[in-house]
């Protein structure tokens, strides 16, 4: 009935979009579903709190940063009442995201059914009311559905559903269970607003919203100060990026007079290509992306963000939110296509970040830190692709990375869960995330082991696994751009752009090598060799429940076969080629072609085979090196090797970046704030002179007032008489 | 339907609401005296409120029928109806408070209700008076009743002192007013405002010195009644000493009536010589705003603080008068409405928390009020924010200041500097309004603090009603303002005819 009405309405409009009247009309339900979940779970988190007392009554601050530290506190007060509410959260939390995924899939099928007509029709935009009408500024609550936002929606809701399911097991015993699902639902809602928003300001709503949820979830166990600080750090560092994003929006509005995508795409032609203005807009946009997607130099918040629960790291800090920057650049392709210089900087930043973070990953002991730096590094790859104009390659890697990195994080969560349970049994305070406490877990958790190896091979770029295809496409695109593109014709500091692009290609290869090494190292330390957990704990090590391994298995399938989304032309024997490229072409092809200098360069088959060969060789080499280097006595050792010096120590400490920022940025700022702004300006000038001074003045006035306010009627009458004389004089002699 | 005011029957119609209140007051006085000594005053209170409601109904009826009047001793326009409404709302709230006050600890004679009504009838006469004799009559009917109300607590020396001071100084200032009336009559040969306006406009070289001195003396008389600096000296002492319900009545209704008459006399009668009184009033407004707010900052006694706050608000209201426009007059009435609700509400909270006997209440005694009496604290916060002119949480208060500023800035002679001063002094006022909120919400309640008495039912209704009305009208204030602006007080121009704003703009050029 409703559909029929909508159909009728669509037929009545003159230029009906092919999606008009289809299930795509329900696009507004996508963000509202998780919002509903947020409301329900939020209420659930408040209601029992009144019955069962405060949540963190008996939290033990000594438990360190272990994820599951609250179990004991919880079990003491757990009531059947509590569990009943939790069961409701377990249903509502994943269900709303699951329904959103089903709806997204239905819309996807409708888009497929619309066929080629969709490619020329442009985006499907629906407006739901006016948000900021101010003078000429018209910003509407509009959602935009096109191939790019559809893909992102599928990833967010699909991977999101799996991670919600995993969380049921992982957070099972947490006192803040409903609050956790409330935040996670809210995150999905804002993430969908981010990708479905039809204009930059609406995107920004989602952008800030996911930032808020990220903050809330990083500091989820806020009673531990370091967790709360990690949340604050993420929030504050992202302010720097948001400043850039805002400036970019102001510039767009001031110069183009529009902020919705359709308007910007149309008006972008008015901008001077290669001009200072469009370059500035793109660079400010990229500053926003660098903050949200943890690129140099704003990556510092992401490793600390691992303080949150591990499924949060999987969903927010690996699969979805941190890729928002990549999405934004792909979305703004029309602008970046006009600013090759900005694009080159994007690619260069991405390549340097990829290498930089990968080297740090080599020396980490915390399993989640390894994955965090690995995420930063992989995001760097995506920016390399976006920088050279290979937007579909960037989005392809975004998708495969969402699969394998979510799998890696959830697998790591599974491992941490097992270790935590074991330590919980023996009541020992050990770090369940330190790989030095792991080893030999293959025998105890074979499913996790096998699935994580699949993900490791994927991220390392071993053929057939999904990561291989996406990474290969990026490297191929860089190589192609170096051979011939608008970027290659630039000069940066006198160096030809093409030379820089060749350099980026080499950096990419080196990063691939290092990636293979540190990932293999992580797997060896975690799953192979002798077990270092402890004699007492060993019998308690076991595989996680099915609610956790189930989602892992699904992600495992996607990790292995995700590459089929976008097979390269040379491997057409495996299946239909370049599905994703063709799907995204209506959105990004024009921008890609412009940046490529006319047409995207096609490499000869021989070159492609050579590139694939190099990539495969590098990954196999890396895995082999790691096996040789970390095998043997090291694997059995309980404690760390002797203190390192020089470069090794530097890498272990993440190049002292945090310490340096602390010493040269944070401390001087605090000192400035304390000595000059607080003691000098605030206490001295404002409090001392202005506030106390005016207070002293006030006391003077009050004193004078008190002198006059004698309470003596005669005095009052005198004042009235004198006042009257003054008034008469003023009126008469005017 | 225009009324011919020279016909006695029409004159009675024009004065219907005033007569209802006056007659009700006399009937209640007789009833109160006839009742046995020591009987509850509540039935009389209910009757008094009923009389006010009847008058309100009469006003509503006449406003809806769109009754107008030609030139005569009584004005019939929305300015009068709006002012009457403000006066009656203030009166109703004060009567409710006075009833609780009488039942609680201090036996106040039931005559107080009748006296309040009598004062209200004088005020209503003032709001409509278009003749200087009627103005004087209204002022005296109002003042004499209020002098008695200030001293109605016969057992309290402070109350008696307040009454005597108010009476002496009030008589002194009335002398100025009356002398001013006489001089103006001598110069123009008229007491009717319209006639005075045309006479002043007609004299070619400008008004003679007799008229000017008369104008100045009347200005002093009104400035005393509205408590503008430097004629404000009586205010803190009288407000502090008088029983709290009547302090609220003085701060709200007396001020509203005095301002309404001030505006009508000066805009309609002395409009043609606007240039003569404009700058004096400008300085009075500035001085009142600065002095009221600065001295309020140093007050810790709540009633004195509210007294200085009311002086400061007189300064803001004078800004509306200085604009000499219809918009200014409408903004003034709207402001008076918001101010009345907030001030009576604040005094009601003060009364609710005073233990029986009247004694000076220090703000700091309210430390941690929120933890023991959260609703009272929230209501008081609303009143404070409304007086401050804070958006949303202050309800109408914000729009009251907003319309005032708009009137000041959009006047033919824009009062930009005065508007800036208004904003600055409002910021200063945050120093004492927010201090009250800070003490109530952020200071801990001392363990040895004496418990607060229970709030009587009527007082509670007054507090809740005032807060809800403030907040509700803050959400959708524009219809009231539009109504107050239409068919309202119109300043007389130099040509002697009531002007439209457009005409004023042309003469300003």
């Amino acid at each position: 009935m409703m559909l029929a009405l909508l159909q009728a309405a669509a037929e009545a409009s003159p230029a009906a979009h092919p999606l008009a009247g289809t299930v795509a009309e329900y696009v507004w339900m996508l963000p509202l579903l998780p919002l509903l979940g947020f409301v329900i779970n939020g209420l659930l988190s408040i209601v029992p709190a009144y019955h069962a007392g405060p949540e963190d009554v008996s939290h033990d601050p000594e438990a360190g940063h272990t994820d599951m530290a609250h179990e004991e506190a919880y079990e003491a007060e757990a009531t059947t009442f509590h569990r009943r509410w939790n069961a409701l959260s377990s249903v509502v939390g994943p269900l709303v995201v699951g329904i959103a995924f089903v709806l997204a899939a239905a819309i996807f099928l409708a888009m497929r059914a619309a066929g080629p007509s969709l490619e020329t029709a442009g985006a499907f935009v629906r407006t739901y009311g006016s948000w900021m009408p101010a003078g000429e500024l018209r910003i509407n609550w509009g959602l935009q559905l096109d191939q790019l936002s559809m893909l992102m929606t599928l990833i967010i809701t699909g991977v999101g559903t799996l991670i919600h399911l995993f969380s049921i097991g992982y957070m099972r015993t947490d006192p803040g269970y409903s609050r956790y699902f409330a935040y996670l639902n809210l995150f999905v809602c804002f993430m969908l607003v981010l990708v479905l928003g039809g204009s930059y300001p609406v995107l920004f709503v989602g952008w800030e919203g996911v930032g808020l949820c990220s903050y809330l979830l990083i500091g989820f166990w806020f009673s531990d100060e370091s967790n709360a600080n990690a949340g604050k750090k993420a929030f504050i560092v992202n302010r720097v990026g948001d400043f850039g994003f805002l400036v970019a929006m102001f510039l767009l509005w001031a110069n183009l007079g529009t902020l919705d995508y359709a308007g910007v795409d149309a008006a972008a032609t008015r901008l001077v290509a290669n001009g200072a203005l469009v370059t500035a807009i793109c660079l400010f946009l990229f500053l926003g992306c660098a903050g949200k997607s943890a690129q140099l130099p704003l990556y510092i918040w992401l490793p600390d963000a691992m303080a949150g629960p591990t499924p949060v790291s999987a969903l927010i800090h690996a699969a979805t939110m941190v890729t928002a920057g990549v999405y934004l650049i792909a979305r703004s392709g029309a602008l970046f296509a006009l600013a090759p210089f900005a694009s080159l900087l994007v690619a260069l930043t991405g390549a340097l970040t990829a290498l930089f973070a990968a080297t740090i990953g080599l020396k980490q002991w915390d399993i989640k830190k390894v994955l965090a730096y690995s995420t930063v590094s992989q995001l760097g790859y995506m920016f390399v692709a976006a920088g050279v104009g290979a937007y579909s390659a960037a989005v392809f890697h975004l998708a495969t990375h969402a699969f394998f990195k979510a799998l890696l994080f959830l697998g790591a969560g599974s491992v941490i869960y097992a270790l935590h349970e074991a330590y919980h049994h023996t009541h020992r305070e050990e770090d369940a995330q330190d790989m030095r406490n792991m080893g030999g877990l293959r025998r105890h958790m074979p499913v996790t082991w096998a699935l994580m190896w699949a993900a490791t091979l994927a991220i390392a770029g071993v053929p057939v696994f999904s990561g291989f295809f996406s990474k290969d496409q990026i490297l191929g695109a860089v190589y192609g751009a170096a051979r011939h593109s608008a970027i290659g014709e630039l000069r940066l500091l006198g160096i030809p752009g093409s030379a820089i692009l060749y350099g980026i290609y080499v950096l990419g290869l080196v990063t691939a090598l290092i990636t293979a090494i540190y990932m293999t190292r992580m797997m060896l330390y975690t799953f192979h060799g002798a077990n270092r957990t402890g004699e007492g704990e060993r019998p308690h090590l076991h595989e996680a429940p099915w609610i956790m391994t189930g989602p892992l298995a699904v992600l495992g399938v996607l990790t292995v076969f995700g590459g089929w989304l976008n097979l390269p032309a040379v491997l057409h024997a495996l299946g239909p080629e370049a599905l994703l490229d063709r799907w995204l072409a209506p959105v990004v092809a024009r921008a890609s072609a412009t940046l490529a200098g006319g047409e995207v360069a096609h490499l000869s088959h021989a070159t492609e085979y050579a590139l694939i060969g190099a990539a495969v060789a590098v990954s196999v080499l890396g895995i082999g090196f790691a096996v040789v280097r970390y095998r043997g006595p090291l694997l059995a050792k309980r404690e760390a090797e002797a203190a390192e010096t020089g470069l090794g120590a530097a890498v272990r400490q993440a190049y002292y970046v945090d310490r340096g920022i602390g010493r040269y940025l944070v401390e001087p700022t605090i000192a400035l704030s304390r000595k000059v702004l607080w003691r000098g300006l605030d206490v001295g000038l404002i409090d001392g002179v202005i506030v106390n001074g005016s207070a002293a003045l006030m006391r003077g006035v009050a004193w004078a007032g008190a002198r006059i306010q004698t309470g003596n009627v005669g005095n009052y009458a005198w004042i009235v008489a004198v006042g009257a004389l003054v008034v008469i004089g003023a009126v008469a002699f005017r | 339907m225009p009324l011919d005011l020279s016909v006695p029957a029409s004159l009675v119609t024009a004065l219907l609401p005033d007569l209802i209140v006056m007659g009700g007051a006399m009937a209640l006085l007789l009833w109160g005296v006839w009742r046995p000594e020591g009987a509850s005053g509540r039935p009389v209170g209910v009757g008094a409120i009923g009389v006010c409601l009847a008058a309100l109904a009469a006003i509503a009826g006449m406003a809806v029928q769109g009754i107008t009047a030609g030139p005569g001793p009584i004005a019939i326009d929305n300015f009068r109806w709006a002012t009457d409404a403000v006066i009656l709302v203030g009166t109703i709230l004060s009567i409710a408070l006075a009833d609780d006050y009488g039942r609680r600890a201090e036996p106040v004679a039931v005559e107080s209700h009748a006296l309040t009504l009598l004062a209200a009838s004088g005020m209503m006469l003032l709001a409509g008076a278009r003749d200087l004799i009627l103005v004087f009559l209204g002022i005296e009917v109002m003042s004499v009743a209020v002098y008695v109300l200030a001293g109605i607590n016969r057992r309290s020396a402070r109350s008696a002192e307040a009454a005597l001071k108010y009476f002496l100084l009030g008589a002194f200032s009335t002398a100025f007013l009356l002398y001013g009336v006489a001089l103006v009559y001598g110069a123009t040969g008229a007491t009717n405002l319209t006639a005075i306006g045309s006479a002043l406009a007609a004299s070619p070289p400008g008004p003679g010195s007799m008229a000017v001195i008369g104008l100045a003396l009347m200005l002093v008389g009104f400035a005393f009644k509205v408590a503008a600096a430097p004629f404000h000296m009586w205010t803190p002492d009288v407000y502090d000493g008088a029983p709290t319900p009547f302090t609220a009545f003085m701060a709200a209704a007396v001020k509203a009536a005095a301002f309404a008459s001030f505006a009508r006399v000066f805009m309609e009668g002395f409009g043609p010589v606007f240039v003569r009184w404009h700058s004096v009033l400008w300085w009075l407004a500035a001085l009142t705003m600065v002095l009221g707010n600065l001295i309020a900052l140093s007050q810790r006694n709540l009633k004195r603080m509210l007294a200085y706050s009311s002086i400061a608000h007189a300064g803001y209201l004078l800004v509306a008068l200085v604009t000499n426009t219809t918009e200014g007059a409408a903004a003034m009435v709207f402001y008076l409405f918001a101010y009345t609700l907030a001030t009576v509400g604040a005094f009601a909270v003060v009364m609710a928390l005073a233990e029986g006997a009247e004694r000076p209440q220090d703000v700091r005694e309210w430390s941690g009020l929120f933890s023991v009496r959260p609703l009272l604290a929230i209501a008081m916060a609303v009143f404070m924010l409304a007086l401050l002119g804070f958006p949303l949480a202050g309800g109408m208060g914000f729009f009251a200041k907003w319309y005032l500023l708009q009137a000041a800035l959009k006047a033919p002679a824009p009062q930009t500097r005065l508007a800036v001063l208004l904003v600055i002094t409002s910021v200063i006022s945050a120093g004492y309004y927010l201090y009250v909120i800070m003490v109530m919400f952020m200071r801990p309640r001392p363990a040895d603090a004496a418990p607060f008495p229970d709030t009587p039912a009527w007082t509670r209704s007054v507090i809740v009603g005032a807060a809800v009305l403030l907040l509700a009208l803050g959400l959708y204030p524009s219809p009231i303002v539009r109504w107050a602006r239409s068919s309202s007080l119109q300043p007389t121009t130099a040509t002697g005819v009531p002007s439209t704003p457009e005409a004023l703009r042309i003469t300003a050029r």
Side-chain angles (χ1 to χ4, degrees):
Chain A
M1 167 75 180
M2 186 88 177
L3 265 180
L5 276 177
L6 288 170
Q7 224 135 23
E11 277 157 19
S13 66
H17 193 275
L19 287 178
T22 66
V23 64
E25 296 283 0
Y26 293 107
V27 62
W28 53 271
M29 279 180 70
L30 284 171
L32 284 192
L33 276 165
L35 188 66
L36 177 73
F38 162 69
V39 171
I40 295 174
N41 281 318
L43 288 176
L44 286 179
S45 73
I46 296 168
V47 172
Y50 281 107
H51 295 270
E55 282 173 2
D56 287 307
V57 266
S58 51
H59 170 58
D60 176 10
E62 291 299 304
H65 61 283
T66 322
D67 274 359
M68 318 296 294
H70 302 256
E71 194 176 336
E72 242 167 310
Y74 174 66
E75 275 175 0
E77 59 162 313
T79 59
T80 46
F81 184 80
H82 227 124
R83 291 214 186 280
R84 189 144 30 95
W85 290 116
N86 282 0
L88 193 51
S89 286
S90 315
V91 174
V92 172
L95 190 67
V96 287
V97 185
I99 296 175
F101 174 69
V102 172
L103 177 61
I107 297 176
F108 173 70
L109 292 177
M111 290 175 84
R112 289 292 300 270
S117 66
L118 193 61
E119 288 170 22
T120 51
F124 176 72
V125 181
R126 279 290 176 265
T127 304
Y128 304 100
S130 175
W131 174 21
M132 282 194 271
E136 287 171 51
L137 182 64
R138 290 266 175 281
I139 296 171
N140 296 321
W141 287 113
L143 295 184
Q144 165 167 349
L145 199 59
D146 62 8
Q147 289 83 353
L148 179 58
S149 54
M150 188 69 247
L151 183 73
M152 293 296 292
T153 303
L154 283 173
I155 294 172
I156 293 159
T157 51
V159 177
T161 307
L162 294 174
I163 292 172
H164 275 73
L165 289 172
F166 181 91
S167 301
I168 295 177
Y170 192 83
M171 301 298 287
R172 182 176 54 88
T173 54
D174 196 279
Y177 189 79
S178 296
R179 181 166 60 95
Y180 171 83
F181 275 107
Y183 291 165
L184 216 55
N185 282 164
L186 186 65
F187 168 78
V188 174
C189 164
F190 277 125
M191 195 67 207
L192 289 173
V193 170
L194 195 161
V195 298
L196 287 170
S199 62
Y200 285 100
V202 177
L203 181 148
F204 194 66
V205 170
W207 185 272
E208 289 300 301
V210 293
L212 167 72
C213 295
S214 163
Y215 162 78
L216 290 171
L217 284 163
I218 293 170
F220 184 73
W221 292 306
F222 52 82
S223 51
D224 193 345
E225 196 186 350
S226 67
N227 294 345
N229 283 341
K232 275 192 274 182
K233 183 173 177 183
F235 207 77
I236 292 167
V237 172
N238 265 298
R239 284 316 84 183
V240 181
D242 293 345
F243 158 76
F245 192 176
L246 281 172
V247 172
M249 278 202 283
F250 297 157
L251 286 174
L252 275 176
W253 161 248
N255 292 288
L256 297 183
T258 173
L259 281 172
D260 54 293
Y261 302 141
V264 169
D265 282 1
T269 47
R270 295 214 306 269
L271 293 167
V272 183
N274 266 323
L277 176 64
V278 70
T279 307
I281 292 173
C282 289
L283 287 179
F284 277 117
L285 273 181
F286 178 56
L287 183 61
C289 300
K292 187 103 323 198
S293 297
Q295 295 298 290
L296 280 176
L298 299 179
Y299 73 96
I300 45 170
W301 64 271
L302 188 57
D304 286 31
M306 297 301 130
T310 308
V312 169
S313 312
L315 179 61
I316 301 185
H317 305 120
T320 55
M321 183 188 84
V322 289
T323 61
V326 182
Y327 166 79
L328 179 58
I329 291 189
R331 181 52 84 199
S332 314
L335 296 170
F336 278 88
L338 298 173
F341 178 74
S343 292
L344 178 60
L345 273 184
V346 171
L348 192 58
T349 311
L352 290 174
T353 308
L355 180 67
F356 180 81
T359 56
I360 299 175
L362 279 172
K363 290 278 188 182
Q364 298 300 310
W365 283 124
D366 185 321
I367 187 169
K368 285 183 74 180
K369 283 278 163 69
V370 177
L371 293 175
Y373 283 109
S374 151
T375 303
V376 175
S377 170
Q378 296 299 312
L379 288 168
Y381 270 116
M382 295 176 211
F383 278 102
V384 167
V388 300
Y391 299 115
S392 64
V395 176
F396 182 32
H397 196 58
L398 187 162
T400 60
H401 176 257
F403 302 148
F404 63 68
K405 188 52 68 65
L407 175 53
L408 282 170
F409 264 115
L410 294 187
S414 198
V415 168
I416 294 165
Y417 180 82
L419 252 70
H420 177 78
E421 293 270 289
Y423 282 129
H424 180 63
H425 268 287
T426 57
H427 299 287
R428 255 179 61 188
E429 298 287 347
E430 283 282 352
D431 189 347
Q433 294 180 195
D434 194 324
M435 294 195 289
R436 283 167 293 194
N437 291 334
M438 299 175 184
L441 293 179
R442 175 176 53 136
R443 282 181 296 282
H444 304 283
M445 22 195 353
V447 179
T448 307
W449 166 76
L451 289 168
M452 280 189 77
W453 259 116
T456 302
L457 294 178
I459 192 174
V462 171
V464 180
F465 294 93
S466 59
F468 160 75
F469 295 105
S470 54
K471 196 181 285 186
D472 178 64
Q473 196 186 351
I474 291 175
L475 292 175
V478 177
Y479 191 81
R483 292 260 293 263
H484 168 73
S485 70
I487 304 170
E489 288 155 17
L490 288 172
R491 296 183 84 81
L492 178 63
L493 302 172
I495 310 165
S498 57
I500 296 175
L501 286 173
Y502 280 122
I504 290 173
Y505 173 74
V506 173
L507 284 178
L509 271 188
V510 174
T511 305
L513 175 75
I514 298 173
T515 305
I517 295 174
Y518 72 72
M519 287 306 298
T520 311
R521 168 181 175 269
M522 184 197 89
M523 290 304 290
L524 292 175
Y525 270 118
T526 307
F527 289 103
H528 295 264
N531 180 264
R532 301 177 293 274
T533 310
E535 292 302 324
E537 287 79 9
R538 200 162 299 135
H540 299 292
L541 288 171
H542 53 77
E543 189 65 81
W546 62 268
I547 191 77
M548 293 165 71
T549 48
L552 284 183
V554 177
L555 285 169
V557 173
L558 291 169
T559 298
V560 176
F561 297 106
W564 266 258
L565 279 177
N566 206 22
L567 287 175
V570 288
L571 296 179
H572 56 82
L574 292 173
E577 55 176 290
L579 285 175
L580 194 74
D581 284 353
R582 280 184 279 150
W583 173 253
L584 289 176
V587 185
V588 301
R590 200 151 53 105
S592 292
T594 314
L595 264 186
E599 202 179 327
V600 179
H602 277 286
L603 302 171
S604 69
H605 279 205
T607 318
E608 286 220 27
Y609 278 125
L611 292 177
I612 292 173
V616 174
V618 157
S619 67
V620 173
L621 195 68
I623 294 172
F625 173 81
V627 170
V628 174
R629 168 79 171 72
Y630 297 108
R631 209 179 162 68
L634 255 182
L635 282 176
K637 243 201 238 166
R638 180 76 174 74
E639 294 306 322
E641 51 267 66
E644 284 168 300
T645 52
L647 189 62
V651 174
R652 174 93 62 217
Q653 296 298 323
Y655 298 105
Y656 304 114
V657 168
D658 272 326
R659 202 180 298 176
I661 287 176
R663 184 170 301 164
Y664 297 109
L665 219 60
V666 177
E667 279 172 23
T669 308
I670 291 176
L672 178 79
S673 310
R674 182 164 299 174
K675 290 191 182 125
V676 179
L677 296 179
W678 177 32
R679 298 248 166 79
L681 267 178
D682 194 27
V683 175
L685 185 65
I686 296 175
D687 282 358
V689 178
I690 299 177
V691 176
N692 292 341
S694 59
L697 181 75
M698 276 309 314
R699 272 194 291 275
V701 172
W703 180 82
R707 291 297 100 184
I708 301 168
Q709 199 78 37
T710 51
N712 184 323
V713 182
N715 287 356
Y716 293 177
W718 262 103
I719 292 168
V720 170
V722 171
L725 284 177
V726 172
V727 167
I728 292 168
V731 175
F733 300 106
R734 179 189 140 78
Chain B
M1 182 173 76
L3 288 175
D4 180 7
L5 294 180
S6 55
V7 179
S10 302
L11 198 57
V12 169
T13 315
L15 284 168
L16 183 64
D18 314 55
L19 291 174
I20 290 176
V21 175
M22 224 172 267
M26 292 178 186
L28 284 174
L29 190 61
L30 291 176
W31 186 36
V33 172
W34 177 69
R35 281 158 56 84
E37 190 91 18
S40 161
R42 179 143 290 185
V44 184
V46 173
I49 291 176
V51 169
C52 290
L53 291 176
L56 270 177
I59 288 167
M62 293 176 80
V64 167
Q65 282 184 25
I67 294 176
T68 55
I74 282 289
I76 300 182
D77 53 19
N78 282 352
F79 182 75
R80 177 181 165 204
W81 300 144
T83 313
D84 279 355
V86 172
I87 291 167
L88 286 170
V89 167
T91 307
I92 291 172
L93 297 179
S94 306
I95 289 172
L97 289 182
D99 197 70
D100 273 344
Y101 185 86
R103 295 157 65 85
R104 197 181 209 173
E106 311 277 332
V108 174
V110 286
E111 299 95 78
S112 78
H113 295 316
L115 283 167
T116 311
L117 284 185
L118 271 179
S121 73
M123 293 170 189
M124 289 165 71
L125 199 57
L126 265 182
R130 212 177 233 167
D131 192 294
L132 292 182
I133 299 299
L134 274 185
V135 169
F136 180 70
L137 206 60
I139 281 194
E140 283 311 288
V141 169
M142 166 181 90
S143 298
V144 171
V146 173
Y147 298 150
V148 179
L149 286 175
I152 199 149
N153 186 356
R154 279 163 295 188
R155 299 185 191 169
S156 163
R158 293 175 64 237
S159 178
E161 182 193 340
L164 193 63
K165 271 185 188 168
Y166 193 23
F167 168 65
L168 287 174
L169 291 168
F172 189 45
S173 75
T174 309
F176 283 98
L177 186 74
L178 197 54
Y179 195 19
V181 170
L183 288 180
V184 170
Y185 176 69
T188 61
T191 53
N192 185 290
L193 291 181
T194 321
I196 292 172
S198 355
L200 287 177
S203 57
S209 55
M210 203 208 270
V212 166
I213 292 174
L215 181 154
L217 290 173
M218 288 189 69
L219 197 154
V220 171
F222 278 118
F224 177 87
K225 286 290 167 202
V226 301
F231 309 106
H232 68 284
M233 305 296 296
W234 58 277
T235 320
D237 291 4
V238 174
Y239 281 19
D240 189 21
T244 311
F246 307 118
T247 308
F249 187 57
M250 279 187 266
V254 172
K255 187 162 294 204
F259 257 112
S261 186
F262 201 170
R264 194 181 292 282
V265 169
F266 273 74
M267 286 188 185
E268 286 189 349
F270 300 136
V273 288
F274 173 56
V275 285
R276 300 306 290 258
W277 51 268
H278 163 259
S279 59
V280 173
L281 221 47
W282 195 102
W283 279 107
L284 282 190
L287 187 67
T288 310
M289 287 192 282
V290 171
L291 220 57
N293 279 311
L294 279 187
I295 300 181
L297 267 179
S298 65
Q299 300 298 319
R300 288 292 171 267
N301 174 337
L302 275 158
K303 280 174 84 177
R304 286 188 91 84
M305 190 270 271
L306 286 171
Y308 281 107
S309 145
S310 92
I311 294 171
H313 285 275
Y316 305 148
L317 286 159
L318 282 175
V319 175
L321 200 48
V322 175
T323 61
N324 191 33
T325 57
T326 305
E327 282 76 16
M332 176 191 277
V333 183
F334 187 81
Y335 196 100
L336 281 169
F337 196 19
Y339 165 81
T340 296
L341 291 175
T343 304
V344 176
F347 277 116
V349 176
V350 171
M351 196 191 109
L353 293 175
E355 301 124 65
E358 286 277 335
R359 59 175 185 83
Q361 266 196 89
D362 194 294
V363 188
R364 284 162 291 192
E365 289 171 38
W366 286 11
S367 293
L369 180 64
F370 180 65
S371 59
V372 284
R373 305 293 286 275
L375 286 178
L376 276 183
I378 290 171
M380 188 67 184
V382 170
F383 300 139
M384 291 291 106
L385 291 174
L387 289 173
L388 175 56
F390 197 82
L392 214 62
M396 271 175 101
F398 168 75
F399 288 100
K401 277 215 172 98
W402 170 256
Y403 290 125
L404 210 56
L405 285 170
Q406 252 190 344
L409 294 173
K410 287 188 175 164
Q415 303 300 328
T416 316
R417 266 179 282 177
L418 219 44
V420 170
L421 193 63
L422 196 161
V423 171
I424 292 174
T425 48
S426 295
V427 172
I428 292 176
S429 73
Y432 55 93
Y433 291 134
L434 295 185
Y435 180 75
V436 175
I437 295 179
M438 188 274 282
V439 166
M440 293 189 301
F441 285 82
M442 290 155 76
R443 289 266 175 85
R445 183 109 191 103
D448 56 343
F452 289 118
D454 287 337
T455 312
W458 280 25
T459 308
R460 201 181 310 138
S461 314
V462 168
I463 293 169
V464 172
V468 169
L469 214 54
L470 268 176
L471 292 175
L473 291 176
L475 289 179
Y476 197 51
S478 50
I480 300 179
V481 171
R482 228 176 294 128
W483 176 72
R485 253 181 222 168
S486 64
S487 151
S488 188
L489 183 68
Q490 289 194 342
T492 318
T493 56
T495 54
V497 289
S499 69
T500 57
E502 287 69 32
L504 258 182
R505 229 156 268 143
I506 292 161
T507 49
R509 264 184 224 122

